[in-house]
């Protein structure tokens, strides 16, 4: 039996694989999530302002940006619309404050954790 650490979409799994002789197939072994070292963040296209970051909860495409720099937002207010798996998802402000920067554009593809905006 061989053990491997495999990372899928940023989540690490400890997997045991058994080599099987002949044509008989073995039952799959369940993978257990393990703590992974955080990956180095991707370089940002624009500098990120100091404040509370509004991040993408999943990979997708930005369909609309609902706020502009300088706007005042309330916690839970939609900041932008993210399309993922053919569904439109509002990405909401995590806190009250003023929009310090918008770090994405309409039509851009984003990954999980990408900073979309900063609220201060």
């Amino acid at each position: 039996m061989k053990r491997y650490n495999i990372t899928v979409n940023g989540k690490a799994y400890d997997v045991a694989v058994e080599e099987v002789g002949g044509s008989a197939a073995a039952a799959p072994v369940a993978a257990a999530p393990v703590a992974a070292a955080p990956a180095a963040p991707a370089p940002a296209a624009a500098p990120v302002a100091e404040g509370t970051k509004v991040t993408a909860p999943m990979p997708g495409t930005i369909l609309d940006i609902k706020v502009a720099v300088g706007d005042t937002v309330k916690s839970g207010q939609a900041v932008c619309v993210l399309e993922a798996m053919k569904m439109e998802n509002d990405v909401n402000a995590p806190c009250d404050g003023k929009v310090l920067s918008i770090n994405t554009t309409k039509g851009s593809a984003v990954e999980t954790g990408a900073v979309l905006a900063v609220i201060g």
Side-chain angles (χ1 to χ4, degrees), residues 42-112:
V48 177
E50 291 296 320
T52 303
K53 294 170 180 62
V54 180
T55 59
M58 64 191 87
T61 303
I62 301 298
L63 292 182
D64 192 18
I65 299 173
K66 301 278 190 180
V67 296
V69 174
D71 288 355
T72 301
V73 295
K74 298 268 185 200
S75 179
Q77 179 180 341
V79 173
C80 59
V81 179
L82 175 74
E83 179 189 40
M85 298 184 293
K86 302 207 183 243
M87 293 182 63
E88 293 182 11
N89 304 284
D90 285 342
V91 179
N92 299 325
C95 62
D96 293 351
K98 187 175 185 178
V99 178
L100 300 177
S101 69
I102 301 291
N103 299 74
T104 191
T105 57
K106 288 183 185 179
S108 64
V110 297
E111 294 297 322
T112 303

